[in-house]
Structures are given as structure tokens and as C-alpha cells.
Amino acid sequence: NAGVTQTPKFRVLKTGQSMTLLCAQDMNHEYMYWYRQDPGMGLRLIHYSVGEGTTAKGEVPDGYNVSRLKKQNFLLGLESAAPSQTSVYFCASSQGWTDTQYFGPGTRLTVL
Amino acid sequence: DQQVKQNSPSLSVQEGRISILNCDYTNSMFDYFLWYKKYPAEGPTFLISISSIKDKNEDGRFTVFLNKSAKHLSLHIVPSQPGDSAVYFCAASGLTGANNLFFGTGTRLTVIP
């Protein structure tokens, strides 16, 4: 039981490049989330999903897209990376609306 | 605008003493509060929570206190242990609507042996 895993752990991009971050959970959770953490700020919700095939915007969705084609996977895409997207990205999942969120180890992304 | 604030970026305490971490919030619609603990290179892990119908919740060495009128909560760790050294995040949400957690900026706790 690996919990929540994230791929890759580190990535460096040039401005304008695209990439996809993968989050996988093996707990059969309905809800999945993508957060970003920046220095001097708390984690902020980018997008979330309340079930397979559904996605919704969080607090800071601009510049990102997500997809939840399979229940266990939640993908975060950057179509045209910008230096402002340099951050640590965390994925999380939970079973229900108010249940504890379990976090992955994070992906450190640098956009030059 | 930061809706959940942790005004102390760091805290150092001696092993065996009490650690008190504080958190303030501005949104009166928040009714569920959590503390997460984070070690370097790992994701946050859930520590303890409290709903607005309570003013105290205890789990072993960890106790969370909620003062709704002051929009303030605190986490007490007694006794503090070196393994408690980590960054602690306070988070808040409303039970209605999305499970959208609003996080504070974190307090780095160092427990000195």
C-alpha cells in the first residue's frame, strides 16, 4: 500500500515548455487534489476532483489543466510553463468530503 | 489575502517542555480545523482536527484548542520530543461546499534534546 505517489520528484523546465505531473493513489479514494506551496505561503488548492471524470477549479487554477480519466490517477498539466509556476506541487486524496486528506511527497518544479 | 495565519515562522523548545503553536483565521464560515505536520522532502501528514462544535480535542500528546470568538486555535504538544521537530501547518475549511482546505504558512518547530 503505497498511499499517494507523485511522478516526477523533480523537474526543470524552460519558459513555454509543457509537462504533466502524475498523481496516483491506491486507497480507492473518491476525491483528489492538487496544491502548490510557495515560500512564505501556505499550500493553495489548484484543482480538485470529486470523482472519476470530474474536475473543478480551486483557489489558483490559472495556467493549469487537470484530468481524472481513472479513479486512481489525477494529472496536472502545464501547457506553457512560466517562471511564476516554480513551486512545490503536492497531490492529495481523501475518501469523502470531510475526510482526512493524504498527501504525496511532492514534486519540485523549477521554470527557468 | 491569507485567510489562515500562523504568525510565528519558527519555535524552539526544550525536550520535555510544552510546545504551543498558534493559528488565527479570518473567515467566520470556517468550521473545521486541522493541523498537519511536515518533514523535509515529504508531504504533509494529518495530525489532529477539531470541529467548531468543540473547543478542545485531545490525542495523546497533542491537544488542539479552538476559540471561535477570537478566531484562534492552538496546538499543544506535551511533552515535546526531538522527533516532533517539523513544520506544522494549520488548515481550515467549511463543511459545506468543496473540501477546500486553506492553509497557514507554517511554523517550524525545533525540539532541542
Side-chain angles (χ1 to χ4, degrees), chain B residues 71-105:
Chain B
K71 295 190 179 70
H72 176 83
L73 66 156
S74 61
L75 174 69
H76 292 210
I77 306 174
V78 183
S80 300
Q81 299 174 354
D84 295 329
S85 297
V87 177
Y88 290 78
F89 290 97
C90 169
S93 74
L95 288 178
T96 57
N99 188 3
N100 187 0
L101 289 178
F102 290 87
F103 282 83
T105 53

Side-chain angles (χ1 to χ4, degrees), chain A residues 43-54:
Chain A
L43 281 76
R44 292 180 294 167
L45 184 66
I46 304 170
H47 285 279
Y48 64 98
S49 168
V50 301
E52 182 178 325
T54 73

Side-chain angles (χ1 to χ4, degrees), chain A:
Chain A
N1 188 339
V4 179
T5 58
Q6 293 182 231
T7 309
K9 287 186 169 50
F10 304 93
R11 186 71 187 268
V12 178
L13 289 179
K14 294 181 179 178
T15 297
Q17 287 185 317
S18 63
M19 78 161 295
T20 300
L21 307 184
L22 171 64
C23 176
Q25 52 96 3
D26 61 3
M27 296 174 282
N28 202 34
H29 284 170
E30 292 294 331
Y31 296 80
M32 297 187 74
Y33 317 81
W34 276 107
Y35 292 88
R36 60 178 287 174
Q37 184 191 11
D38 301 298
M41 304 193 74
L43 281 76
R44 292 180 294 167
L45 184 66
I46 304 170
H47 285 279
Y48 64 98
S49 168
V50 301
E52 182 178 325
T54 73
T55 63
K57 294 180 180 179
E59 187 183 353
V60 289
D62 294 341
Y64 304 94
N65 57 76
V66 288
S67 64
R68 183 107 181 263
L69 299 179
K70 294 182 178 181
K71 186 177 183 179
Q72 63 268 32
N73 295 338
F74 194 29
L75 278 64
L76 178 71
L78 287 73
E79 290 186 350
S80 180
S84 61
Q85 294 177 304
T86 293
S87 189
V88 180
Y89 292 85
F90 289 101
C91 175
S93 71
S94 67
Q95 179 54 39
W97 200 244
T98 57
D99 291 331
T100 299
Q101 293 186 23
Y102 294 87
F103 283 81
T107 295
R108 183 174 294 276
L109 175 66
T110 301
V111 183
L112 302 175

